[in-house]
């Protein structure tokens, strides 16, 4: 694809994926590369602009990440953010030092509106600052175009060479007019036309897949989650019956979820593909019998999943391609793209490729962020219910049942969770709460129903709000909604006589209740 592109060079800061997302919101395609990427490689990509990100280091220290000054002579516009801004000055002969006053948080910034960076930005604007070093002297050829009460160089530019440095973080939402500044850079200064659109991405991807696959056979492991579903539909549209999707129902899905996946991908659904549903519930339950330790349960479910898939793959025989629903944060976080190496290994079912006889992997969503995957899903006509599905762990209800997993407990948690989700949706809260579900505690206690003494399980309700799933706060679900859920669960779900609401934030808790 000969797409106009902006390159983000990653110096290890926490907001780096956000920078790329904001650029894409300007309809400009953008990729993240580590600062270790060779300049020849950057040049070969022929970017329309380059953005240097923030990072945790001090650029004047010997071992800190740096970049060759050649980057600033390519004639390509460069924008440095925070560490990137300081590095630009440092490399070009300016001065960076420990700031007399460390700035952190929302800060009033006074901008010079004659800079193209600040076109249509208010003269005094709120920006997000987070720095202990500052630019004490700009490099030759630069002029100061923004300052704060404590920071003499909040932004600087060398208009002739199209080099721009910003001390604050335009990519975070706390910077009120940050998106406008990034728009000004990529669309104004870099001159990008803004042709990156989801419909053209989907169309181009389908064309590329067709060319790549030719008459080959393709195998896809379908989980019913957003990523694998979008990948599968894209493949189905591209190559139809050359695609086989294997959906392993491990009996640990939410209520009716297996059937919902079958409705979309099965023979009565809108796509022409080979769909194989493996009903492996009993197999999983028997492997899980007597197992109570959560990590052990995760391992068993993961391994059994691979065994089941392997058996199916053997029946199908050798294929040419295996589809994976890898998305861009997976690529960046596994250290392949950018520099911030947060590896969430427990979130991935490893080992799948090894059990299939295939020649090549296809990852059609490899360059998309999660919200873009959802947009692609809608573009492909996948039902909203599936596209906006909440995160659901691979081991499913197996880890939302504390203690031993049994078919009976799966029924209880499925029914309770379905009621909870139904009532949350009825109350109009389904779009505003980050993630919510019911879990089954391993506690039984005494209650009274009618005239009878009961000795039944307690269901725990969880609802959290979260920005990035790394931290979370319990959501304030209105009391009357909780009461309604409680009363329905106790009346409708056999085996439950208590309902509790989990108030724990993350940390110290996790979002899952396992
Ligand atoms: P925790 O419980 O670690 O969860 O706070 C953070 C987010 O990750 C989801 N999660 C998983 N997702 N496979 C997944 O695909 C898993 O094994 C898994 N475990 C947790 C969880 O639902 C939450 O959104």
């Amino acid at each position: 694809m000969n797409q106009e592109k902006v390159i983000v060079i990653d110096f290890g800061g926490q907001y780096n994926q956000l920078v790329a997302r904001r650029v894409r919101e300007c309809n400009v395609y953008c990729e993240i590369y580590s600062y270790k990427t060779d300049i020849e490689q950057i040049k070969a990509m022929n970017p329309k602009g380059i953005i240097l990100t923030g990072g945790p280091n001090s650029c004047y220290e010997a071992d800190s990440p740096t970049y060759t000054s050649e980057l600033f002579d390519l004639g390509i516009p460069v924008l440095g953010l925070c560490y990137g801004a300081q590095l630009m000055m440092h490399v070009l002969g300016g001065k960076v030092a420990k700031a007399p006053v460390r700035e952190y948080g929302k800060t009033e910034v006074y901008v010079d509106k004659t800079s193209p960076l600040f076109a249509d930005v208010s003269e005094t604007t709120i920006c997000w600052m987070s720095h202990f070093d500052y630019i004490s002297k700009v490099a030759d050829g630069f002029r100061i175009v923004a300052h704060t009460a404590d920071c003499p160089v909040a932004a600087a530019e060398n208009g002739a060479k199209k080099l721009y440095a910003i001390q604050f973080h335009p990519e975070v939402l706390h910077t009120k007019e940050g998106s406008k500044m990034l728009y000004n850079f990529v669309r104004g200064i870099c001159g990008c036309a803004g042709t990156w659109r989801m419909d053209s991405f989907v169309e181009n991807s389908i064309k590329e897949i067709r060319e790549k696959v030719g008459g080959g056979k393709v195998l896809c492991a379908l989980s019913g989650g957003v990523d694998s579903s979008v990948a599968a539909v894209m493949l189905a549209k591209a190559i139809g019956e050359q695609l086989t999707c294997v959906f392993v129902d491990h009996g640990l899905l939410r209520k009716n979820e297996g059937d919902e996946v079958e409705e979309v991908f099965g023979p009565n659904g809108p796509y022409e593909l080979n769909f194989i549903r493996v009903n492996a519930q009993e197999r999983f339950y028997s492997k899980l019998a007597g197992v109570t330790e959560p990590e052990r349960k995760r391992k068993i479910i993961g391994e059994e999943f691979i065994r089941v898939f392997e058996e199916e793959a053997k029946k199908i025989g050798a294929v040419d391609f295996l589809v994976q629903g890898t998305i861009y944060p997976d690529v960046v976080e596994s250290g392949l793209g950018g520099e911030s190496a947060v590896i969430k290994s427990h979130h991935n079912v490893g080992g799948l490729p090894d059990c299939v006889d295939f020649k090549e992997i296809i990852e059609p969503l490899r360059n998309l962020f999660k919200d873009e995957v959802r947009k692609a899903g809608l573009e492909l006509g996948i039902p909203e219910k599936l596209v906006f599905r909440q995160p659901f762990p691979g081991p499913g209800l197996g880890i939302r049942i504390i203690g031993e997993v049994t078919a009976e407990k799966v029924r209880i948690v499925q029914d309770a969770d379905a009621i909870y989700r139904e009532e949350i949706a009825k109350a109009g809260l389904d779009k505003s709460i980050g993630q919510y579900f019911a879990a089954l505690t391993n506690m039984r206690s005494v209650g009274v129903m009618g005239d009878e003494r009961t000795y039944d399980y307690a269901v725990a309700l969880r609802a959290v709000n979260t920005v990035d799933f790394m931290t979370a706060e319990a959501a304030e679900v209105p009391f009357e909604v909780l009461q309604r859920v409680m009363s329905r669960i106790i009346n409708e779900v056999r085996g439950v006589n208590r309902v509790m609401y989990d108030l724990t934030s993350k940390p110290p808790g996790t979002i899952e209740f396992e």
Side-chain angles (χ1 to χ4, degrees):
M1 217 185 326
N2 199 8
Q3 173 104 46
E4 67 177 15
K5 185 190 289 189
V6 164
I7 298 285
V8 171
I9 300 186
D10 186 350
F11 289 93
Q14 56 181 325
Y15 306 126
N16 301 345
Q17 290 197 28
L18 262 185
V19 177
R21 284 182 54 175
R22 295 280 171 264
V23 171
R24 290 194 192 178
E25 280 165 15
C26 302
N27 298 112
V28 173
Y29 184 65
C30 178
E31 285 177 357
I32 307 175
Y33 290 90
S34 162
Y35 71 91
K36 293 174 190 145
T37 309
D38 194 80
I39 187 145
E40 290 307 322
Q41 204 183 326
I42 302 277
K43 272 158 65 180
M45 289 184 266
N46 195 23
K48 298 275 282 184
I50 294 169
I51 300 179
L52 313 180
T53 74
N57 302 80
S58 281
C59 64
Y60 45 78
E61 272 164 13
D63 298 337
S64 292
T66 186
Y67 212 83
T68 165
S69 64
E70 215 190 302
L71 186 75
F72 305 106
D73 292 325
L74 298 176
I76 300 170
V78 183
L79 170 65
L81 304 178
C82 197
Y83 183 83
Q86 296 167 0
L87 185 72
M88 181 188 289
M89 290 304 151
H90 180 69
V91 168
L92 295 176
K95 237 190 155 94
V96 177
K98 188 128 295 259
V101 181
R102 176 176 190 263
E103 279 183 307
Y104 183 82
K106 288 183 188 172
T107 310
E108 227 170 30
V109 176
Y110 311 101
V111 308
D112 178 344
K113 294 189 54 159
T114 62
S115 166
L117 208 47
F118 299 126
D120 297 324
V121 170
S122 323
E123 224 148 356
T124 304
T125 182
I126 298 293
C127 301
W128 184 258
M129 284 284 190
S130 171
H131 65 118
F132 45 85
D133 285 342
Y134 80 132
I135 298 165
S136 56
K137 185 177 159 289
V138 295
D140 283 349
F142 279 82
R143 69 180 189 115
I144 297 170
V145 290
H147 67 279
T148 73
D150 292 315
C151 179
V153 188
E157 70 172 26
N158 180 336
K161 298 188 87 171
K162 295 202 173 177
L163 304 179
Y164 299 82
I166 298 183
Q167 180 57 68
F168 50 89
H169 289 277
E171 68 276 22
V172 305
L173 289 177
H174 302 303
T175 298
K176 255 177 89 184
E177 297 175 275
S179 292
K180 208 179 279 174
M181 298 171 197
L182 289 170
Y183 184 95
N184 286 340
F185 179 69
V186 297
R187 300 288 294 267
I189 295 163
C190 302
C192 292
T195 46
W196 161 255
R197 296 241 176 352
M198 202 39 74
D199 51 354
S200 48
F201 172 82
V202 166
E203 207 180 297
N204 288 335
S205 302
I206 289 177
K207 222 187 292 161
E208 278 171 29
I209 292 168
R210 243 180 233 143
E211 278 164 22
K212 185 170 184 166
V213 171
K217 261 169 104 175
V218 183
L219 179 60
C220 173
L222 192 61
S223 72
V226 181
D227 303 340
S228 71
S229 300
V230 173
V233 170
M234 202 178 258
L235 264 296
K237 290 214 167 176
I239 54 158
E241 285 177 359
Q242 284 162 260
L243 173 70
T244 301
C245 284
V246 174
F247 166 54
V248 177
D249 187 342
H250 52 22
L252 302 164
L253 296 167
R254 285 166 289 201
K255 193 171 182 177
N256 300 331
E257 207 165 56
D259 295 342
E260 282 166 19
V261 172
E262 186 166 346
E263 262 167 43
V264 175
F265 293 97
N268 300 323
Y271 310 110
E272 284 178 20
L273 55 92
N274 297 299
F275 175 76
I276 300 174
R277 174 174 178 173
V278 190
N279 289 317
Q281 292 88 331
E282 295 312 323
R283 236 176 115 156
F284 281 84
Y285 296 162
S286 75
K287 284 273 173 197
L288 288 166
V291 181
T292 55
E293 210 276 310
E295 265 315 292
R296 200 59 218 112
K297 290 196 269 184
R298 277 180 178 272
K299 282 234 160 60
I300 290 172
I301 297 166
E303 277 165 18
E304 196 57 15
F305 183 87
I306 290 167
R307 293 291 84 78
V308 176
F309 192 81
E310 189 172 37
E311 284 167 25
E312 287 310 309
K314 278 215 180 93
K315 287 185 210 158
I316 293 164
V319 294
D320 301 287
F321 301 91
L322 178 70
V323 183
Q324 296 221 300
T326 317
I327 69 172
Y328 201 48
D330 303 333
V331 176
V332 176
E333 282 164 13
S334 61
L336 298 174
E339 195 45 41
S340 354
V342 196
I343 299 172
K344 291 189 287 181
S345 59
H346 79 291
H347 287 174
N348 302 318
V349 185
L352 199 51
D354 293 340
C355 71
V356 181
D357 184 1
F358 72 102
K359 291 193 204 119
E360 213 179 314
I361 289 188
I362 298 187
E363 296 173 312
L365 312 176
R366 196 183 158 80
N367 292 327
L368 300 189
F369 288 107
K370 192 81 181 184
D371 51 333
E372 294 175 320
V373 173
R374 293 205 160 100
K375 269 193 213 154
L378 293 178
E379 197 61 48
L380 285 160
I382 303 175
E384 278 200 24
K385 200 156 101 190
L386 231 162
V387 168
F388 290 100
R389 192 161 262 182
Q390 294 197 16
F392 188 64
L397 301 178
I399 59 161
R400 290 183 183 169
I401 293 170
I402 309 299
E404 188 188 9
V405 175
T406 62
E408 170 70 358
K409 284 181 171 176
V410 170
R411 178 201 51 87
I412 293 178
V413 75
Q414 276 181 340
D415 287 348
D417 182 68
I419 291 172
Y420 188 30
R421 282 190 288 143
E422 195 182 312
E423 289 299 330
I424 290 280
K426 260 198 219 154
L429 298 168
D430 51 335
K431 295 253 156 62
S432 60
I433 302 175
Q435 191 175 352
Y436 54 93
F437 56 86
L440 186 60
T441 74
N442 204 22
M443 184 195 85
R444 290 169 81 197
S445 63
V446 174
V448 53
M449 275 272 236
D451 290 334
E452 284 202 18
R453 178 186 185 276
T454 57
Y455 185 60
D456 281 334
Y457 284 109
V459 159
L461 303 178
R462 187 104 174 102
V464 296
N465 285 319
T466 173
V467 177
D468 53 8
F469 297 91
M470 307 299 259
T471 61
E473 296 287 338
E476 287 188 39
V477 180
F479 198 65
E480 63 272 17
V481 177
L482 290 175
Q483 270 181 316
R484 212 163 28 244
V485 174
M486 176 274 295
S487 137
R488 278 197 58 196
I489 289 179
I490 294 199
N491 285 320
E492 297 173 34
V493 185
R494 209 170 5 95
V496 180
N497 67 355
R498 256 172 228 275
V499 175
M500 315 203 220
Y501 187 68
D502 182 4
L503 284 173
T504 322
S505 55
K506 172 183 179 177
T510 57
I511 293 175
E512 287 300 334
F513 193 109
E514 73 178 289

